[in-house]
Amino acid sequence: MTDHTFDLVILGGGSGGYAAALRAAELGQSVALIEKDKVGGTCLHRGCIPTKALLHAAEVADTARDASAIGIRATFEGVDPAGVRSYREGIVAKKFKGLEGLVKARGITVVSGEGRLEAGPAVRVGDDLYRGTDVILATGSYSRTLPGLEIGGRILTSEHALELDQIPRSVVILGGGVIGVEFASVWRSFGADVTIVEALEHLVPNEDVALSKGLERAFRRRGIQYSLGVRFQSATQTAESVTVTLEDGKLFTADYLLVAVGRGPATAGLGYEEAGVTVERGFVIADERLRTGVPHVWAVGDIVPGLQLAHRGFQQGIFVAEEIAGLSPVVIPDSHIPKVTYSHPEVASVGLTEAQAAEAHGTEGIVSYEYNLAGNGKSEILGTGGVVKVVRAKEGPVLGVHLIGDRVGELITEGQLAVGWEAHPEDIAPFVHAHPTQSEALGEAFLALAGKPLHAL
């Protein structure tokens, strides 16, 4: 057995782990980053990046189909699965090579292998023990399934769906959250018949209801079917198909079933509880500064209760590295972290929904405004519909920004600034948005809430 000593030992090289490693190294600490697979984790290799590459390929397919509508003569001959796979893998490979170079340049020691937390604090990898003045737990998440629903054959998780070497003729997707609607969007653009099964009353149920209803309307127009408000009961498969049964007896049969019911924290069997870390329902319990109950042991990313987003992991990793260094970084609440669903159309939000704002401030204490993208020139040029919805406290700051429409994910940072800085619409209204841009739609909503609408009544 060999002992190794570092200022900081990080278990998990995904978004939260490698962000913490990069920032800590930048601050002069010696860092060991322990990863059993590849640095970059789920986001780079099996999540954010490859799925967004697929979504871009889907957008190109739709553009080619509809080119004649804008006077461009083009033909759509179909989707080449091998070509799409090569494109997707090329993007991932370039990003991975760049990340490896960055980690190496910062002098971070990358340890390949499965780690287990031990008292000390330390992480054991095989016969070696990596001791740190501080240890950060950043082991990420895995695709959940439901009791009695076994993954395999024609029943897939998102990781398996990425590896399909064909375009399905038909798919049932269990779960209408971010992962489910993104894959529904891709497969529909590629020509598949798609049905989403969501047990709650709306698609993307964590969003403001105006966005959920807008996405439902858009998906209906695209021919994406969905069942809402009825729970899944069972699934059976043959060599050729999968049949899904709901609790009301309704049946759906397709080539594949994608299980997209969320992600669980990857904490089992890693020694957390044995080392004294409190774990509830698989999640590591940490305080607002991401300290666990064990001195000098921290937790970041998907294993911490809250939003499971790569950029939340980045933010938390940077936060802990700076906290350890004594920089006293500012705590960012989950409500100030932007969310984007990269479907066609996109859904983006930050802050409180109208319902949450009403619960916090009372129905009479809030005002909301919706601006339709039909009035926005750039959206008309792009051929997208949608809505910008802004919620404010009456006579007070912006509480939430909610967007639906193609490419609106690029607008949400302005919304984050407005919410995070507690700006009043009157503060923002004097600032000019470039014309023609989709950002003008957000500006119009702020103008309206400030009492001086321009392109709206």
Side-chain angles (χ1 to χ4, degrees):
M1 183 180 77
T2 304
D3 276 22
H4 309 267
T5 302
F6 292 84
D7 295 326
L8 179 61
V9 174
I10 302 170
L11 180 54
S15 302
Y18 86 68
L22 292 172
R23 183 63 177 132
E26 191 174 54
L27 293 169
Q29 293 203 314
S30 60
V31 181
L33 182 62
I34 298 165
E35 171 56 50
K36 67 179 181 179
D37 188 8
K38 294 179 180 179
V39 173
T42 295
C43 175
L44 176 54
H45 300 284
R46 300 173 298 279
C48 317
I49 299 301
T51 56
K52 277 50 182 183
L54 278 183
L55 283 154
H56 179 62
E59 180 184 11
V60 172
D62 288 333
T63 300
R65 280 193 190 92
D66 299 334
S68 62
I70 57 174
I72 303 299
R73 295 176 181 173
T75 57
F76 177 74
E77 298 178 1
V79 178
D80 173 12
V84 172
R85 183 188 186 112
S86 176
Y87 159 70
R88 186 192 79 228
E89 291 179 344
I91 296 290
V92 172
K94 288 178 183 176
K95 297 297 102 182
F96 179 47
K97 184 177 180 180
L99 179 57
E100 284 187 309
L102 189 58
V103 168
K104 183 178 180 180
R106 295 278 174 88
I108 296 163
T109 299
V110 177
V111 180
S112 297
E114 294 194 21
R116 181 180 174 86
L117 181 66
E118 294 192 0
V123 176
R124 183 174 298 282
V125 182
D127 293 331
D128 289 352
L129 193 66
Y130 294 83
R131 299 184 184 276
T133 304
D134 291 273
V135 169
I136 297 177
L137 308 177
T139 44
S141 60
Y142 64 91
S143 292
R144 288 187 185 274
T145 186
L146 296 177
L149 182 56
E150 185 175 346
I151 303 299
R154 293 182 173 273
I155 301 177
L156 316 171
T157 64
S158 58
E159 291 89 345
H160 301 125
L162 282 171
E163 297 304 316
L164 281 181
D165 59 3
Q166 59 179 295
I167 305 302
R169 291 172 302 173
S170 57
V171 186
V172 173
I173 297 175
L174 184 57
V178 174
I179 295 171
V181 302
E182 287 186 352
F183 271 96
S185 192
V186 167
W187 277 326
R188 185 58 184 154
S189 294
F190 285 172
D193 292 327
V194 180
T195 301
I196 303 170
V197 173
E198 170 54 54
L200 298 178
E201 295 299 321
H202 291 289
L203 297 180
V204 289
N206 292 328
E207 299 289 353
D208 189 277
V209 69
L211 304 192
S212 295
K213 290 181 177 179
L215 185 64
E216 290 159 15
R217 288 192 295 269
F219 272 18
R220 276 199 303 273
R221 288 193 294 269
R222 294 187 60 196
I224 297 173
Q225 306 297 313
Y226 47 83
S227 168
L228 303 174
V230 181
R231 297 173 65 87
F232 164 87
Q233 179 172 289
S234 64
T236 58
Q237 62 176 307
T238 67
E240 291 80 28
S241 65
V242 181
T243 297
V244 174
T245 304
L246 304 189
E247 287 185 346
D248 63 359
K250 189 176 292 184
L251 302 177
F252 299 98
T253 299
D255 290 351
Y256 291 96
L257 169 63
L258 172 64
V259 181
V261 293
R263 298 186 64 82
T267 57
L270 299 178
Y272 290 0
E273 291 167 295
E274 293 87 338
V277 173
T278 300
V279 177
E280 294 181 2
R281 298 180 297 107
F283 289 97
V284 173
I285 302 306
D287 66 16
E288 69 168 7
R289 305 201 74 81
L290 300 173
R291 296 172 293 206
T292 72
V294 178
H296 298 284
V297 177
W298 313 73
V300 302
D302 286 0
I303 63 172
V304 178
L307 296 174
Q308 291 180 311
L309 298 170
H311 46 283
R312 176 178 181 255
F314 292 147
Q315 186 274 328
Q316 291 185 340
I318 294 167
F319 178 94
V320 170
E322 293 182 349
E323 182 78 357
I324 290 169
L327 300 182
S328 298
V330 174
V331 173
I332 304 297
D334 272 9
S335 61
H336 289 186
I337 294 174
K339 301 177 291 183
V340 183
T341 301
Y342 296 88
S343 51
H344 167 41
E346 289 184 353
V347 173
S349 66
V350 66
L352 303 181
T353 66
E354 184 171 1
Q356 290 167 338
E359 184 176 350
H361 299 272
T363 304
E364 300 301 318
I366 64 168
V367 180
S368 68
Y369 179 79
E370 295 185 20
Y371 180 80
N372 197 302
L373 291 185
N376 177 256
K378 187 60 179 286
S379 295
E380 185 72 21
I381 291 166
L382 295 174
T384 184
V387 168
V388 169
K389 179 175 181 176
V390 177
V391 182
R392 72 172 299 183
K394 196 171 185 178
E395 310 296 332
V398 174
L399 301 173
V401 174
H402 310 278
L403 316 169
I404 182 168
D406 289 340
R407 305 190 188 183
V408 297
E410 301 297 333
L411 307 182
I412 200 59
T413 297
E414 181 180 346
Q416 181 188 33
L417 292 174
V419 171
W421 287 347
E422 298 182 344
H424 290 224
E426 292 82 3
D427 299 328
I428 307 169
F431 293 100
V432 178
H433 293 77
H435 176 75
T437 64
Q438 285 187 292
S439 70
E440 288 180 283
L442 195 49
E444 292 282 355
F446 291 139
L447 282 168
L449 283 173
K452 47 181 180 181
L454 182 60
H455 293 98
L457 297 176

